[in-house]
Amino acid sequence: MATLSDIGVSALINILSAFVFLLAFALLRIQPINDRVYFPKWYFKGDTSSPRSTGNSRGNFVSLNFKTYLTSLNWMPQALGMSEAEIIEHAGFDSVVFLRIYTLGLKIFVPITILAILVLVPVNFSGGTVSFLSTELVTSNIDKLSISNVQPKSAKFFAHISMQYLFTFWTCFMLYKEYDKVATMRLNFLASQQRRVEQFTVLVRNVPHDSGSSTLDYVELFFKKNHPNTYLCSQAVYNGNKFAKLVRKRNRLQNWLDYNQLKFKRHPDKKPTRKKGFLGLWGERVDSIDFYEQQLKELDRKMTMERHRIIDDPKSMMPVAFVSFNSRWGAAVCAQTQQSKNPTWWLTSWAPEPHDVYWHNLAIPFVSLRIRKLVIAISVFALVFFYMIPIAFVQSLANLEGLEQVAPFLKPVIELKFIKSFLQGFLPGLALKLFLHFLPAILMFMSKFEGHVAVSALERKAASKYYYFMLVNVFLGSIVTGTAFQQLHAFLHESPTQIPRTFGVSVPMKATFFMTYIMVDGWAGIAGEILRLKPLVIYHFKNMFLVKTERDREKAMDPGSVNFPETLPSLQLYFLLGLVYAAVTPVLLPFILVFFLFAYLIYRHQIINVYNQRYESGGAFWPHVHNRIIANLLISQLLLMGLLGTKLAENSTPMLTVLPILTLAFHNYCKSRFEPAFNKYPLEEAMDKDSREHEAEPNLNLRAYLANAYLHPIFQSFKEVELEETVMSDTVRTDKHQSQMLSSTAKESSPSPPPPEHYSCTRNEVKSFHYTHHSEHCV
């Protein structure tokens, strides 16, 4: 078990690591060559003048201005200088809500830390039980500050019970205030939003098959009949997986063509050449520009044929459609009501914004979704138990004394002072973080397999799985396996009736392990987040060897969005640790406070300067954050009840049974009071916004505005490519009810999303490679 000196060694290592990371960041960020790594957000917004003020021209590689080094730490006040309203304008509402999780942690734990340190630490220290048990169990001097040090049946437990009540009431009060604030901010944000295509559009799934008409015709007929005054137009969805592969191949060829044309432009006296064989390694040497132009011409012919095949094959059309209405009120009525007497048909929900659509999963038949979810549930269950093996290994590192008692031959090596401090104070937290490194990617793959159709929903589901994993494996698993290793000698030599007593004393002692984990993950790890060492190396490697065009450079510097599937569950672990150990081992709380304060500063900087949020969900993840903090609160109450039971305080334990009941009642009230603001759109608000918009723009042409709203990314990414000859020679026949829409309206609907990764497309998209000749069902 880690002692006070081991914790000191861990703190020293992690503080020095964090300091080195911050110093390296302060120096690297002021070098002009690194602007696209540390300030990519400003490039994507079209503002190439980042907040860094160096006085150098942007073409310099290294800053030679000495004054910039004197102001290298000015990133801290800059990160705190932007208001919430400015961050919403700059980075989106989701970013502000994400930052409010950190401020909520500070609001909850600052008062709790002060009270716990002033009240509970003296009470625990005066107990004396740990000194008495040190001959039987593995203990350390830190355990004298925990509840384990209080004598069984002591009246001092009333202090812990009183503090638990106070901590619960304060946490619930802050949760209520924050939920109210975020819900109000969300409604105000939605009310102040400019016109957006998803406000008028509904996603319809599981459209029933009709042998007499196509899916799109059936959708039009159904909604004309049931929404006669508000239905505007609809777009069916095709399975375009093969077409997407051709598009990606065309992207690569176009990139090589651009590169060779740029190369020839710079050196007109030397035309670029290549060999015709595999990867240009052998074969006849030909003109590179002519070669790639011919390859593109042939590929365009194949893409045209594939478009024909998609339209002519009835199996390509999926029972899914995007249905648009002439008002927000009409869309709200459709999205929030049951459309058919058969509740499994015509399933409607709000359409994700175009950037948020995960196109690949639209091609999944609805009937297979339940099977997929069952398979993933079993897989997650198996994964949780598989990961118990590395968790047990990590705990063996954290509890060397327990192993020494069972395996004395290891003692000479383990007892070397520095090795012992390193193994117990630093290595367990580092090993656990390494074992968790690949887990978010695995859980995201599982969420994609489940069939969710929005990227935001995928991330929330992946975050949910990761939270349960952190709860079961990292928290409960570390306690259970840690206690087993730690008290292995006691378990082997005492009677079974004494095992609950051993657990009651041992569980609080795991606070030392979590202290080391917080320092590795929450101190040094967060400092590593701002350094961005991996993106820095990858960007310069790509820029040196792989970047051929400006499009390549933009892809190389793209930082992506905040990693919600990993960051949110990790945050919840810190809430869990703080709430559980507040009344058990209060000395852990300062470590939690340092994390929340440091992480808030770091992520504020990253959101302002680095991350480029892909979608805007309007803070839809906040109810999940609230619910998990409530779950953490319940776990803390139940664990304290169990601990008091092992301390023979049966008379005082019933006083805690009221807390879970009150907490659940509070949760149900918040759920009914605030959650509808996150999953329903009030008809009153919709009508009011429609009325105001009609007064301001009485001649608004919504049909034209929505024409290309959900144009698939595989077509948008090539909208600059003119294929007029191909399109004109292979014009696809439209249905008799279709009317052609002008392509210029596509830019009004929403900005173009990033390059494609997903593979289904709408009916109208397959009829033309770019916006010209785009057609849809409209009334």
Side-chain angles (χ1 to χ4, degrees), residues 93-201:
F93 185 73
D94 282 343
S95 299
V96 167
V97 174
F98 173 70
L99 290 174
R100 291 192 73 90
I101 304 175
Y102 293 96
T103 58
L104 175 63
L106 291 172
K107 291 174 184 177
I108 290 175
F109 287 114
V110 167
I112 287 179
T113 301
I114 295 173
L115 279 175
I117 296 295
L118 293 179
V119 177
L120 294 182
V121 168
V123 170
N124 294 337
F125 185 75
S126 63
T129 300
V130 169
S131 299
F132 176 74
L133 292 174
S134 59
T135 58
E136 303 177 32
L137 301 174
V138 179
T139 62
S140 75
N141 44 15
I142 293 180
D143 300 319
K144 296 178 182 179
L145 305 178
S146 75
I147 197 173
S148 301
N149 199 38
V150 180
Q151 295 283 350
K153 298 183 179 182
S154 173
K156 294 179 180 179
F157 288 124
F158 285 103
H160 299 84
I161 295 173
S162 301
M163 287 295 102
Q164 185 66 36
Y165 267 90
L166 194 58
F167 297 161
T168 298
F169 290 153
W170 175 253
T171 302
C172 289
F173 173 73
M174 292 311 305
L175 283 174
Y176 177 85
K177 297 283 288 183
E178 200 66 22
Y179 213 156
D180 185 29
K181 177 66 174 178
V182 172
T184 302
M185 290 174 61
R186 172 182 165 86
L187 291 175
N188 291 337
F189 171 74
L190 295 177
S192 62
Q193 266 188 324
Q194 296 181 350
R195 182 171 56 252
R196 296 170 65 92
V197 294
E198 66 270 17
Q199 297 169 351
F200 300 89
T201 307

Side-chain angles (χ1 to χ4, degrees), residues 548-561:
K548 299 180 287 294
T549 64
E550 190 62 29
R551 186 192 300 124
D552 286 341
R553 184 169 287 105
E554 289 183 3
K555 292 180 182 179
M557 76 172 183
D558 187 5
S561 307

Side-chain angles (χ1 to χ4, degrees), residues 1 129-130 133 136-140 143 146-149 395 399 478-488 490-491 494 498-514 581 584-585 643 646-647:
M1 172 180 293
T129 300
V130 169
L133 292 174
E136 303 177 32
L137 301 174
V138 179
T139 62
S140 75
D143 300 319
S146 75
I147 197 173
S148 301
N149 199 38
Q395 290 306 318
N399 302 291
S478 295
I479 288 177
V480 173
T481 58
T483 302
F485 277 105
Q486 188 172 317
Q487 312 304 344
L488 186 58
F491 285 166
E494 69 184 6
Q498 296 298 310
I499 291 179
R501 168 177 167 270
T502 303
F503 265 96
V505 175
S506 303
V507 169
M509 297 178 186
K510 290 309 299 174
T512 54
F513 165 74
F514 289 118
Y581 282 100
V584 175
T585 310
L643 286 172
T646 63
K647 302 290 280 186

Side-chain angles (χ1 to χ4, degrees), residues 590-731:
F591 295 84
I592 299 282
L593 281 184
V594 171
F595 161 75
F596 277 113
L597 184 61
F598 190 34
Y600 174 71
L601 177 64
I602 296 298
Y603 274 104
R604 225 177 189 275
H605 173 275
Q606 299 297 82
I607 283 172
I608 292 172
N609 297 300
V610 178
Y611 290 120
N612 186 37
Q613 196 65 21
R614 175 178 177 179
Y615 60 84
E616 178 59 71
S617 72
F621 54 84
W622 186 262
H624 300 271
V625 173
H626 175 90
N627 294 344
R628 286 165 196 155
I629 295 177
I630 291 291
N632 297 339
L633 195 56
L634 289 169
I635 292 170
S636 71
Q637 296 161 0
L638 295 175
L639 284 179
L640 184 59
M641 291 172 61
L643 286 172
L644 292 180
T646 63
K647 302 290 280 186
L648 306 179
E650 293 85 357
N651 294 332
S652 58
T653 302
M655 297 177 61
L656 283 173
T657 56
V658 180
L659 273 182
I661 299 173
L662 294 176
T663 304
L664 288 173
F666 168 77
H667 168 64
N668 289 332
Y669 172 76
C670 288
K671 186 179 180 68
S672 60
R673 171 66 179 83
F674 300 118
E675 195 165 307
F678 291 85
N679 51 35
K680 295 184 184 298
Y681 189 41
L683 294 181
E684 177 186 22
E685 183 71 23
M687 180 62 76
D688 180 63
K689 199 168 180 64
D690 286 333
S691 300
R692 285 188 280 109
E693 184 176 76
H694 182 70
E695 292 176 1
E697 301 178 72
N699 298 320
L700 174 64
N701 187 354
L702 265 180
R703 185 181 300 133
Y705 174 71
L706 297 169
N708 291 318
Y710 285 89
L711 189 65
H712 193 280
I714 64 178
F715 297 97
Q716 290 193 8
S717 60
F718 292 99
K719 64 186 179 183
E720 76 279 2
V721 180
E722 294 297 328
L723 297 175
E724 294 180 1
E725 290 186 15
T726 304
V727 175
M728 292 302 292
S729 61
D730 296 293
T731 302

Side-chain angles (χ1 to χ4, degrees), residues 220 223-224 227-234 323-325 777 779:
E220 182 187 26
F223 282 96
K224 276 185 177 181
H227 299 268
N229 299 320
T230 56
Y231 171 72
L232 184 64
C233 57
S234 58
V323 179
S324 297
F325 296 82
H777 265 306
V779 295

Side-chain angles (χ1 to χ4, degrees), residues 535-553:
L536 178 70
V537 173
I538 291 175
Y539 169 75
H540 285 302
F541 175 82
K542 288 182 176 179
N543 196 41
M544 186 176 297
F545 299 105
L546 303 177
V547 169
K548 299 180 287 294
T549 64
E550 190 62 29
R551 186 192 300 124
D552 286 341
R553 184 169 287 105

Side-chain angles (χ1 to χ4, degrees), residues 289-591:
I289 296 177
D290 293 340
F291 174 80
Y292 288 113
E293 285 179 344
Q294 182 63 33
Q295 290 281 311
L296 283 170
K297 185 176 180 180
E298 176 65 21
L299 190 58
D300 290 340
R301 186 186 64 81
K302 291 181 180 179
M303 293 175 71
T304 301
M305 294 175 61
E306 178 62 16
R307 287 200 301 274
H308 276 290
R309 188 198 66 79
I310 290 174
I311 293 178
D312 294 337
D313 185 4
K315 295 181 180 179
S316 295
M317 185 180 292
M318 305 306 300
V320 181
F322 289 100
V323 179
S324 297
F325 296 82
N326 58 20
S327 66
R328 296 173 183 83
W329 185 90
V333 170
C334 181
Q336 297 167 184
T337 55
Q338 182 174 316
Q339 303 302 310
S340 171
K341 59 184 178 182
N342 186 337
T344 63
W345 289 350
W346 300 101
L347 302 178
T348 58
S349 61
W350 283 106
E353 67 164 305
H355 294 77
D356 194 19
V357 177
Y358 187 68
W359 297 91
H360 178 72
N361 283 354
L362 288 176
I364 299 175
F366 184 80
V367 68
S368 69
L369 291 180
R370 290 187 178 275
I371 300 174
R372 286 170 173 260
K373 290 181 180 179
L374 177 61
V375 170
I376 292 302
I378 297 173
S379 302
V380 171
F381 183 80
L383 184 66
V384 168
F385 279 89
F386 169 78
Y387 257 77
M388 279 293 184
I389 298 173
I391 295 295
F393 169 73
V394 168
Q395 290 306 318
S396 70
L397 297 176
N399 302 291
L400 300 179
E401 289 88 348
L403 288 180
E404 283 182 7
Q405 293 177 357
V406 178
F409 60 89
L410 295 175
K411 191 171 183 177
V413 177
I414 294 175
E415 284 302 318
L416 294 175
K417 187 172 182 180
F418 179 78
I419 293 178
K420 186 174 183 179
S421 296
F422 177 78
L423 289 177
Q424 293 194 138
F426 179 72
L427 191 59
L430 179 62
L432 180 59
K433 187 164 180 63
L434 291 177
F435 278 124
L436 296 176
H437 180 70
F438 299 103
L439 186 63
I442 297 172
L443 297 178
M444 176 57 77
F445 171 78
M446 290 181 170
S447 298
K448 290 178 179 179
F449 184 80
E450 280 183 313
H452 304 286
V453 297
V455 176
S456 57
L458 286 172
E459 294 191 345
R460 289 196 296 272
K461 292 299 181 180
S464 178
K465 294 179 181 67
Y466 197 20
Y467 166 73
Y468 293 122
F469 183 91
M470 299 284 277
L471 173 62
V472 174
N473 283 60
V474 177
F475 181 68
L476 297 178
S478 295
I479 288 177
V480 173
T481 58
T483 302
F485 277 105
Q486 188 172 317
Q487 312 304 344
L488 186 58
H489 184 268
F491 285 166
L492 295 177
H493 294 86
E494 69 184 6
S495 65
T497 57
Q498 296 298 310
I499 291 179
R501 168 177 167 270
T502 303
F503 265 96
V505 175
S506 303
V507 169
M509 297 178 186
K510 290 309 299 174
T512 54
F513 165 74
F514 289 118
M515 288 177 190
T516 64
Y517 178 76
I518 292 169
M519 286 187 285
V520 171
D521 181 71
W523 296 7
I526 291 296
E529 158 69 27
I530 199 171
L531 178 59
R532 289 176 56 78
L533 184 60
K534 180 180 175 181
L536 178 70
V537 173
I538 291 175
Y539 169 75
H540 285 302
F541 175 82
K542 288 182 176 179
N543 196 41
M544 186 176 297
F545 299 105
L546 303 177
V547 169
K548 299 180 287 294
T549 64
E550 190 62 29
R551 186 192 300 124
D552 286 341
R553 184 169 287 105
E554 289 183 3
K555 292 180 182 179
M557 76 172 183
D558 187 5
S561 307
V562 177
N563 190 6
F564 287 146
E566 182 177 0
T567 307
L568 292 179
S570 299
L571 262 172
Q572 294 304 322
L573 178 64
Y574 289 103
F575 277 100
L576 175 63
L577 294 176
L579 292 171
V580 166
Y581 282 100
V584 175
T585 310
V587 291
L588 181 139
L589 292 175
F591 295 84

